[in-house]
């Protein structure tokens, strides 16, 4: 319950008098609201500058009648209070009798949104008038987290909002906790996209994000006695105050149907299943800048006239709703299960909806900005499309379809425009994560797009042929197997004819050589002229028959070598399509980008080395240090002399010179201790477990996957627990530092092995946490329903963070950057961004173990040959688990995955057993270091100081310069 100290309201029981009093002051409040909304916003003139040929975009101050300036009034707590009260009364999402926390949150969020709308609209209008080149970031995920604290932090209004809410009887933190996390992402991919949007706005880059507005998101994770259970996420249940539906911005999206060719040769896609994509916009404010960019999310629906009213009135309600439900379910769930044909079809519909609606929107904006003279060759000079992973790949054939079938461009012109426009970010080296779609399914769902993809594939085939020639058909066939977009699909006729002709020419050359050799051998032979004449006719007939057989043999040989195999599936390689069609391909960490070039796309790299780049990921220091860890941020500001580090993270390096300062170390430990207390409260709230704040907080929070090796972590904990049980209480205290081992993350609903790992972790926790002999010396906690808000509590208070994936399998990681930025020490392998983090923070401030990426293939080969000898300690752990000490659940399948030398789901593919001995020895070094708190604190400070490279601002600057070719555009 809240206690108000304004408008004569002293308690919640006086809510009626509050409302009456509030209404009586209506005119004053409306005037105040008008003042807030206007913010002294003055329209002046736009000044339209020329865009230089090098794509530089600069705005100029001008007092002419064609420019404008945006002067923003900075509200105080009084005006903020009036705005919140206004929304509580006039933008009601709740009943008028109460003003409880949920209503306080919505009224507060709506008041912040009002402020953003001014700069949001001005940013959009300025970009339109300036006709700047703009980047469009397409992603299936945007893991935004809560928006309130981030928005008011970026606006610099945390103080006024905190004061205003205090006057209304609430704390800002309590109000902010009412906001559900937007369920628009799963893990690092979506969180990276959100960090990028923050940096784009902060750095004033003209850019937008495009995604889907999932009604239920991924899922809400429950932890029960059976392990992970999934229920629908309800983030939209009470509405979303941050979004604005744009009912005037909608586009048709089509599935199925057929392709017809007109008399002019132009193709048209007709019939099929039609839906509508409607735009929902979310403002993304930059930090201390006038720029507010846009995240446009698409929701799907069906036109009212498609509702079968006749069927409904006849009682066939299911039939009446069928088409409507088909349209709506496209945006129900992020990553629906794809074990079934229906699931695969739904995923493809999602991907195409994102691509089609976004491309139509981008093209409409380009045409509007171009006026009456649309020059399509200028399209890449105004538009940059970035595909975040392979999910948006269909924007390639969709852009080609629109340019050719709708706008009337030739294939050559459309292909050149597309290649100059799109770029691809690769996020994985895992073969199963490089998307492959059924050629048949894609052809049924998107018949025109399969035709266009076949045209791209044909272009690629001719490029490969030009590069490798026809002398060695086996080599050529090997290259096609590695590089084709359409795998195991019939070779196009144009390519086949070239191969047959080349083979025939080779046969003719060979034949001529044979004849020449034969003639030379017969020089000494003399034949009668009459006999030669008699034989001439017979020889010609025989030669004709031989030539016919040779032609047939050539065609059969080519078809045998290059034809599809009847027992192999026909698939479309989406990653290959991205590489072939885009002008840039980038990895997301130095080691990952090298693997992309040397292994994943090596053949393409040899063909087009200029396409490949590295763009090491980053995270926004605003959300992931300043806003989630304000106490440590104040310390950093104090010791570096200003808060410039929030936008110039290089200044974090200045902490290095104070790393040994005892005063700084004391402040640092205090801040970490206070953050640990927040974790203690979170764990109690989420799990019921009570943990000691004096223990080391050891955290692994990320998607549950075998390659991320949560199994290695929990096996290490089991080994630790077993050794504790074998010791006396005195020996335990002497040997082990107290630890709270914290896990968080979701296993995909159909990933059975990952769900077994979750179940095992929770079973170990249930045993260890209730063991009176162990007490506070060891606790194991699985925090359910891990999300951004949970991370914002866990990361600031963590002391050790585990990033222990099998080397060469993690593209980058971004949580490792967040932990390091918050002064948490890392234990990890040389994988992903760990490599660069270790370089920046110093080798002595990173706990390293494990096989390296270049060794992995050889180690797997040794395993297959039966040469691997497991460490006795690893076998000891498995035997201990099999005793049933952690409950009756049968973990044989889990244990079995680590045994044997070959076979799917066996042979320890992720090398848990290989790295286990080094891992537990490295954990001993962690214990040793933690005992010396002065040394540990210094290491913590140096981690923060060395994290400056890993700001998403640096990453976005590199994308803008090297791939998008855009420059900052500041509002005047």
């Amino acid at each position: 319950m809240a206690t108000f100290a304004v408008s004569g309201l002293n308690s919640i029981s006086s809510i009626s008098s509050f409302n009456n009093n509030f209404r009586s002051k209506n005119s004053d409040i409306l005037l105040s609201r008008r003042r807030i909304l206007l913010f002294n916003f003055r329209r002046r003139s736009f000044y339209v500058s020329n865009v230089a040929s090098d794509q530089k975009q600069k705005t100029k101050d001008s007092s002419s009648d064609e420019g404008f300036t945006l002067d923003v009034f900075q509200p105080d707590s009084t005006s903020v209070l009036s705005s919140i009260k206004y929304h509580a009364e006039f933008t009601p999402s709740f009943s008028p009798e109460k003003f409880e926390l949920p209503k306080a949150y919505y009224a507060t969020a709506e008041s912040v949104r009002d402020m953003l709308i001014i700069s949001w609209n001005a940013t959009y209008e300025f970009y339109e008038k300036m006709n700047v080149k703009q980047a469009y970031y397409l992603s299936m995920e945007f893991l935004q987290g809560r928006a309130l604290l981030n928005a008011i932090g970026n606006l610099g209004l945390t103080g006024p909002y905190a004061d205003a809410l205090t006057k209304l009887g609430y704390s800002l933190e309590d109000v902010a906790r009412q906001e559900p996390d937007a369920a628009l992402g799963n893990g690092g991919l979506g969180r990276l996209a959100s960090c990028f949007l923050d940096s784009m706005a902060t750095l004033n880059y003209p850019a937008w994000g495009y995604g889907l507005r999932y009604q239920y998101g991924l899922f809400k994770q429950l932890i029960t006695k059976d392990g992970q259970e999934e229920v629908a996420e309800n983030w939209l249940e009470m509405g979303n105050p941050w979004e604005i539906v744009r009912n005037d911005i909608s586009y048709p999206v089509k599935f199925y149907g057929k392709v017809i060719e007109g008399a002019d040769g132009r193709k048209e896609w007709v019939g099929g299943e039609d839906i509508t994509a409607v735009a929902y916009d979310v403002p993304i404010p930059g930090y201390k800048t006038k720029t507010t960019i846009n995240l446009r999310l698409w929701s799907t629906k069906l036109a009212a006239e498609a509702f079968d009213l006749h069927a409904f009135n006849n009682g066939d309600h299911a039939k009446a709703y069928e088409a409507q439900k088909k349209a709506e379910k496209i945006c129900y769930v992020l990553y629906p299960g794809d074990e079934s044909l229906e699931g695969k079809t739904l995923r493809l519909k999602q991907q195409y909806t994102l691509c089609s609606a976004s491309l139509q929107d981008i093209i409409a904006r380009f045409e509007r900005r171009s006026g009456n003279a649309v020059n399509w060759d200028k399209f890449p000079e105004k538009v940059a499309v970035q595909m975040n992973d392979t999910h948006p790949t269909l924007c390639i054939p969709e852009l080609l379809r629109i340019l050719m079938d709708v706008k009337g461009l030739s294939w050559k012109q459309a292909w050149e425009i597309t290649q100059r426009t799109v770029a691809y970010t690769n996020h994985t080296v895992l073969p199963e994560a490089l998307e492959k779609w059924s050629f048949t399914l894609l052809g049924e769902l998107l018949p025109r797009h399969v035709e266009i993809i076949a045209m791209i594939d044909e272009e690629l085939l001719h490029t490969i042929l030009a590069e490798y020639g026809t002398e060695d058909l086996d080599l050529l066939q090997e290259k096609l197997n590695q590089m084709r977009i359409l795998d195991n699909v019939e070779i196009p006729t144009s390519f086949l004819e070239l191969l047959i002709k080349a083979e025939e020419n080779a046969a003719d050359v060979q034949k001529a050589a044979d004849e020449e050799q034969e003639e030379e051998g017969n020089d000494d032979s003399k034949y009668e002229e009459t006999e030669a004449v008699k034989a001439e006719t017979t020889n010609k007939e025989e030669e004709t028959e031989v030539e016919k057989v040779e032609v047939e043999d050539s065609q059969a040989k080519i078809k045998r070598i290059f034809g599809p195999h009847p027992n192999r599936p026909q698939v479309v390689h989406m990653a290959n399509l991205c590489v072939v069609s885009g002008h840039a391909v980038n990895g997301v960490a130095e080691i990952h980008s090298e693997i992309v070039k040397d292994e994943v796309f090596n053949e393409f790299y040899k063909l087009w080395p200029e396409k490949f780049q590295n763009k090491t990921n980053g995270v926004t220091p605003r959300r992931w240090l300043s806003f989630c860890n304000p106490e440590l941020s104040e310390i950093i500001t104090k010791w570096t002399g200003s808060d410039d580090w929030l936008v110039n993270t290089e200044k974090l390096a200045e902490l290095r010179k104070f790393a040994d300062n005892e005063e700084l170390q004391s402040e640092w430990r205090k801040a970490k201790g206070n953050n640990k207390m927040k974790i203690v409260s979170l764990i109690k709230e989420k799990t019921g477990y009570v943990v000691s704040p004096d223990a080391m907080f050891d955290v692994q929070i990320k998607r549950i996957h075998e390659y991320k090796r949560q199994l290695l972590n929990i096996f290490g904990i089991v080994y630790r627990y077993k050794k504790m049980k074998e010791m006396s209480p005195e020996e335990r205290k002497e040997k082990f530092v107290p630890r709270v081992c914290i896990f968080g993350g979701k296993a995909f609903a159909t990933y059975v092995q990952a769900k077994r790992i979750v179940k095992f972790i929770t079973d170990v926790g249930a045993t260890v946490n209730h063991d009176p002999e162990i007490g506070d010396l060891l606790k194991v906690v699985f925090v359910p329903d891990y999300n951004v808000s949970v991370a914002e509590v866990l990361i600031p208070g963590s002391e050790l963070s585990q990033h222990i994936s099998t080397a060469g399998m993690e593209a980058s990681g971004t949580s490792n950057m967040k932990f390091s930025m918050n002064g948490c020490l890392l234990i990890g392998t040389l994988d992903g961004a760990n490599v660069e983090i270790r370089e920046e923070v110093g080798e002595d401030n990173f706990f390293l173990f494990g096989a390296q990426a270049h060794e992995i293939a050889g180690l797997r080969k040794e395993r297959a040959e039966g040469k691997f000898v497991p460490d006795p300690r690893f076998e000891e752990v498995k035997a201990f688990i099999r005793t049933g000490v952690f409950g009756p659940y049968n973990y044989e399948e889990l244990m079995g995955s680590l045994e044997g030398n070959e076979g799917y789901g066996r042979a320890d593919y992720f090398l848990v057993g290989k790295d286990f001995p080094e891992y537990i020895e490295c954990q001993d070094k962690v214990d040793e270091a933690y005992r010396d708190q002065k040394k540990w604190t210094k290491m913590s400070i140096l981690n923060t100081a060395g994290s400056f490279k890993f700001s998403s601002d640096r990453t976005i600057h590199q994308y803008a310069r090297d791939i998008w070719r855009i420059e900052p555009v500041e509002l005047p």
Side-chain angles (χ1 to χ4, degrees):
M1 292 296 183
T3 301
F4 292 85
V6 295
S7 301
L9 182 64
N10 296 317
S11 70
I12 195 63
S13 62
S14 305
I15 191 70
S16 296
S17 63
F18 165 72
N19 286 328
N20 291 333
N21 190 27
F22 188 45
R23 291 187 187 95
S24 71
K25 296 186 177 181
N26 226 2
S27 58
D28 291 340
I29 290 170
L30 287 174
L31 286 172
S32 176
R33 172 164 170 73
R34 179 177 174 82
R35 179 167 66 93
I36 293 166
L37 286 177
L38 290 177
F39 279 128
N40 287 349
F41 176 70
R42 297 193 299 275
R43 290 192 177 277
R44 293 182 185 164
S45 55
F46 277 99
Y47 181 89
V48 183
S49 64
N50 292 323
V51 180
S53 59
D54 66 354
Q55 304 301 320
K56 286 190 175 183
Q57 302 156 7
K58 298 180 180 179
T59 61
K60 298 181 180 180
D61 294 330
S62 174
S63 57
S64 72
D65 292 334
E66 298 180 27
F68 82 89
T69 60
L70 179 61
D71 297 327
V72 179
F73 163 76
Q74 192 75 357
D76 56 18
S77 60
T78 303
S79 55
V80 166
L81 177 62
S82 295
S83 179
I84 294 172
K85 288 164 64 180
Y86 173 89
H87 281 291
E89 179 72 7
F90 294 105
T91 316
S93 300
F94 299 85
S95 59
E97 300 85 33
K98 301 175 182 177
F99 189 79
E100 296 178 332
L101 273 171
K103 186 173 184 177
Y105 159 66
Y106 273 81
T108 302
E110 285 156 350
S111 78
V112 176
R113 190 189 67 187
D114 284 351
M115 299 180 190
L116 294 178
I117 284 174
I118 299 295
S119 55
W120 195 12
N121 289 344
T123 302
Y124 175 82
E125 188 172 355
F126 194 57
Y127 290 170
E128 287 285 299
K129 292 290 183 181
M130 295 297 295
N131 193 17
V132 295
K133 182 176 183 181
Q134 195 161 324
Y136 300 97
Y137 198 82
L138 271 63
S139 178
M140 287 294 285
E141 297 185 42
F142 286 94
L143 197 57
Q144 292 288 92
R146 291 170 176 162
L148 179 60
L149 291 180
N150 190 72
I152 64 175
N154 277 357
L155 290 169
L157 295 176
T158 303
Y161 268 91
D163 291 345
L165 287 168
T166 299
K167 293 173 184 176
L168 289 169
Y170 292 120
S171 73
L172 175 57
E173 283 191 357
D174 287 342
V175 169
R177 274 196 288 267
Q178 299 302 303
E179 180 177 4
D181 275 44
L184 299 171
N186 175 26
L189 184 81
R191 188 51 240 168
L192 177 75
S194 294
C195 281
F196 279 3
L197 291 182
D198 179 272
S199 287
M200 291 170 190
T202 298
L203 301 173
N204 301 303
Y205 281 114
W208 272 22
Y210 279 108
L212 293 181
R213 181 180 179 268
Y214 304 106
Q215 185 171 340
Y216 300 112
L218 189 67
F219 57 80
K220 181 179 286 187
Q221 181 193 52
L222 304 179
I223 300 298
T224 70
K225 61 181 178 60
D226 298 316
Q228 172 181 298
E229 292 186 11
E230 305 88 26
V231 297
E233 179 62 68
N234 63 348
W235 78 285
L236 281 176
E237 188 173 48
M238 302 297 288
N240 179 9
W242 300 104
E243 68 184 11
I244 294 179
V245 60
R246 308 294 191 186
N247 289 310
D248 58 329
I249 300 176
S250 63
Y251 298 97
V253 178
K254 183 188 294 294
F255 307 107
Y256 303 107
K258 61 181 179 180
V259 180
I260 60 174
E261 185 171 349
D264 59 355
R266 187 185 294 188
K267 297 288 186 75
E268 185 182 2
W269 182 18
V270 298
E273 180 182 301
D274 297 311
I275 66 164
T276 300
V278 181
Y280 284 73
D281 287 352
V282 179
I284 308 296
Y287 177 71
K288 292 186 177 179
T289 176
K290 298 172 185 177
T291 301
T292 296
I293 65 171
N294 195 39
L295 169 59
R296 178 157 286 175
L297 303 172
W298 300 107
S299 186
T300 48
K301 68 174 187 178
L302 204 64
E305 55 267 24
F307 179 72
D308 193 340
L309 187 61
H310 179 73
F312 188 85
N313 287 333
N314 284 338
D316 194 349
H317 300 158
K319 181 183 177 184
Y321 277 109
E322 184 178 3
Q324 185 174 336
K325 291 301 179 187
K326 275 185 179 179
E328 291 176 351
K329 74 178 181 181
I330 290 171
C331 289
Y332 274 175
V333 175
L334 169 64
Y335 301 142
D338 59 354
E339 300 297 310
S340 65
L341 176 61
E342 292 78 9
K344 289 181 173 66
T345 303
L346 184 56
R347 280 210 190 188
L348 262 179
K349 283 185 171 183
Q350 287 183 331
Q351 294 186 4
Y352 179 61
T353 298
L354 168 65
C355 295
S356 179
S358 302
L359 260 296
Q360 290 181 73
D361 196 40
I362 292 166
I363 287 170
R365 188 173 300 107
F366 171 74
E367 290 181 311
R368 185 170 64 249
R369 292 180 181 181
S370 299
N372 295 325
V374 177
N375 183 348
W376 289 105
D377 290 328
K378 298 290 185 182
F379 187 78
E381 296 175 20
K382 297 296 182 182
V383 172
V385 173
Q386 188 70 37
M387 299 178 292
N388 190 30
D389 214 346
T390 52
H391 308 128
T393 303
L394 288 169
C395 73
I396 295 165
E398 176 67 358
L399 179 55
L400 285 162
R401 181 190 72 83
I402 295 172
L403 292 176
M404 291 190 298
D405 299 357
V406 181
K407 305 303 177 183
L409 274 61
S410 68
W411 158 257
K412 182 179 179 182
Q413 189 181 8
W415 178 231
E416 182 185 343
I417 290 168
T418 299
Q419 286 189 299
R420 290 168 58 204
T421 300
V422 301
Y424 162 54
T425 299
N426 173 272
H427 283 279
T428 185
V429 301
L430 298 177
E432 67 270 20
L434 291 170
E435 283 189 297
K436 297 181 285 289
W437 287 105
S438 161
F439 178 74
T440 303
L441 173 59
L442 201 57
E444 291 173 355
L445 189 70
L446 302 169
R448 179 57 177 142
H449 296 74
V450 162
E451 290 183 355
I452 292 170
I453 292 170
M455 295 169 74
I456 300 171
D457 187 60
E458 189 171 352
E459 287 275 343
L460 173 65
L461 292 176
H462 286 285
T463 302
I464 296 171
L465 185 64
E467 180 71 16
Y468 293 101
T470 57
E471 290 77 15
D472 187 339
L473 291 183
D474 290 334
L475 174 65
L476 183 61
Q477 191 248 359
E478 179 187 335
K479 299 302 178 184
L480 296 190
N481 284 345
Q482 293 169 338
M483 300 174 73
R484 275 197 76 184
I485 298 165
L486 300 180
D487 185 16
N488 204 40
V489 175
E490 197 76 47
I491 293 286
T493 304
S494 66
F495 187 77
L496 201 61
E497 288 173 350
L498 286 174
L499 291 178
I500 292 171
K501 186 177 180 180
E503 184 67 12
E504 289 172 355
N505 289 340
D508 289 344
V509 170
Q510 184 61 47
K511 180 181 176 183
D514 292 344
E515 288 175 350
E516 184 179 347
Q517 187 176 6
E518 184 179 345
E519 287 175 6
E520 290 174 356
N522 293 333
D523 279 348
D524 296 335
S525 302
K526 304 294 183 182
Y527 295 96
E528 293 292 333
E529 187 176 339
T530 54
E531 289 298 318
V533 171
K534 287 179 182 178
E536 184 175 352
T537 303
T538 304
N539 288 342
K540 284 183 177 179
E541 290 174 355
E542 290 175 353
E543 284 174 4
T544 301
E545 286 298 316
V546 169
E547 287 174 0
K548 184 177 179 182
V549 170
E550 287 175 348
V551 168
E552 290 175 352
D553 286 348
S554 295
Q555 291 177 350
K557 179 181 178 182
I558 295 299
K559 289 181 178 178
R560 174 179 54 80
I561 294 175
F562 294 97
H565 193 286
N567 297 326
R568 279 177 50 213
Q570 295 183 315
V571 297
V572 182
H573 287 275
M574 306 304 268
N576 290 6
L577 178 56
C578 290
V579 174
V580 172
S581 306
H583 65 87
V585 179
N586 72 278
V588 290
E590 287 177 1
I591 184 174
H592 170 236
S593 294
E594 290 305 308
I595 292 170
V596 163
K597 291 189 292 187
D598 297 342
E599 299 176 26
V600 183
F601 299 124
N602 181 248
E603 296 301 330
F604 293 107
Y605 174 65
K606 288 188 285 190
L607 198 60
W608 301 303
E610 71 282 354
K611 280 191 182 187
F612 289 81
Q613 305 183 17
N614 175 59
K615 296 288 173 281
T616 298
N617 284 343
V619 300
T620 165
R622 273 79 62 183
R623 180 184 284 269
W624 290 110
L625 184 49
S626 177
F627 303 152
C628 74
N629 199 346
E631 190 171 347
L632 190 66
S633 299
E634 288 179 9
I635 294 170
I636 294 170
T637 297
K638 172 186 171 182
W639 286 86
T640 60
S642 74
D643 63 358
D644 289 350
W645 59 270
L646 277 166
V647 286
N648 297 301
T649 49
E650 295 84 358
K651 292 186 179 293
L652 289 174
E654 294 179 14
L655 290 170
R656 286 173 174 155
K657 60 189 177 187
F658 305 114
D660 287 308
N661 186 288
E662 291 187 4
E663 182 184 350
L664 172 59
Q665 288 191 2
S666 176
E667 293 174 2
W668 201 270
R669 279 193 294 271
K670 181 181 178 184
K672 182 66 74 173
N674 291 339
N675 287 324
K676 289 175 72 174
M677 290 305 300
K678 294 178 182 178
I679 295 180
V680 171
S681 299
L682 177 77
I683 289 173
K684 179 69 166 63
E685 175 192 341
K686 297 283 187 180
T687 70
Y689 289 131
V690 176
V691 300
S692 169
D694 297 326
M696 179 202 299
F697 281 16
D698 171 355
V699 179
Q700 187 180 19
I701 43 176
K702 50 185 78 241
R703 183 165 47 94
I704 309 297
H705 197 291
E706 287 172 280
Y707 90 82
K708 293 180 184 288
R709 299 203 295 190
Q710 286 90 353
L711 199 55
L712 177 59
N713 186 353
I714 193 64
F715 267 42
I717 292 168
V718 169
Y719 181 78
R720 189 181 188 91
Y721 175 64
K722 184 175 186 295
K723 292 302 160 190
M724 285 181 177
K725 294 290 286 181
E726 293 168 355
M727 295 178 180
S728 68
E730 293 74 24
E731 288 173 325
R732 285 185 209 122
K733 278 195 169 185
E734 178 68 24
K735 171 69 176 172
F736 295 106
V737 165
R739 285 205 200 193
V740 178
C741 301
I742 303 168
F743 293 83
K746 295 178 180 179
F748 190 66
T750 58
Y751 190 175
V752 176
Q753 194 73 319
K755 295 178 80 169
R756 288 191 186 113
I757 293 170
V758 173
K759 168 67 174 162
F760 182 56
I761 293 169
T762 58
D763 281 353
V764 171
T767 299
V768 172
N769 298 346
H770 294 100
D771 189 330
E773 289 185 359
I774 302 303
D776 287 336
L777 204 54
L778 181 63
K779 297 290 185 187
V780 180
V781 178
F782 192 101
V783 179
D785 203 35
Y786 171 65
N787 57 22
V788 175
S789 297
V790 171
E792 287 171 337
V793 177
L794 291 178
I795 290 173
S798 299
E799 294 170 289
L800 179 74
S801 179
Q802 307 220 19
H803 303 273
I804 57 177
S805 52
T806 311
M809 304 199 77
E810 183 74 85
S812 168
T814 51
S815 67
N816 45 6
M817 302 171 184
K818 297 164 194 169
F819 281 106
S820 186
M821 199 173 276
N822 280 270
C824 179
L825 277 60
L826 274 57
I827 180 172
T829 52
L830 279 180
D831 196 25
N834 282 1
V835 178
E836 292 161 77
I837 291 173
R838 183 169 175 262
E839 289 172 356
E840 298 298 333
V841 305
E843 295 179 5
D844 294 338
N845 303 306
F846 185 104
F847 297 101
L848 178 68
F849 75 95
Q852 296 186 34
H854 67 273
E855 301 174 305
I856 302 302
L859 291 169
R860 287 178 179 146
K861 185 173 182 290
E862 283 183 13
R863 181 78 181 230
E865 294 169 352
K867 297 177 181 177
F868 173 69
V869 179
D871 188 273
R873 292 166 290 186
F874 186 61
E875 296 300 289
E876 183 183 346
V877 168
K878 289 193 295 178
F880 185 55
I881 294 166
R882 282 176 163 136
T883 64
V885 64
F886 300 115
Y889 185 85
N890 185 354
Y891 283 107
E892 201 52 45
E893 290 287 345
L894 189 62
M895 298 296 106
S897 71
L898 305 171
E899 298 172 335
N901 294 322
E902 58 185 352
Y904 178 75
R906 295 184 66 80
D908 193 11
Y909 184 78
F910 301 99
L911 304 181
V912 174
K914 174 66 178 69
D915 281 348
F916 183 77
E918 273 194 55
Y919 175 70
I920 58 174
E921 288 160 12
C922 192
Q923 288 285 14
D924 289 340
K925 295 176 184 175
V926 171
D927 276 2
E928 181 184 350
Y930 193 76
R931 286 190 179 93
D932 184 348
Q933 278 296 292
K934 181 176 174 58
K935 176 184 176 183
W936 186 275
T937 305
K938 178 180 178 179
M939 294 168 75
S940 173
I941 294 168
L942 291 174
N943 262 266
T944 299
S947 67
F948 63 88
K949 174 182 175 179
F950 304 103
S951 166
S952 51
D953 294 352
R954 185 262 316 151
T955 315
I956 287 300
H957 274 313
Q958 292 177 346
Y959 271 99
R961 180 191 66 212
D962 303 335
I963 297 178
W964 304 334
R965 308 291 172 85
I966 62 174
E967 298 250 346
V969 176
E970 292 190 38
L971 273 68

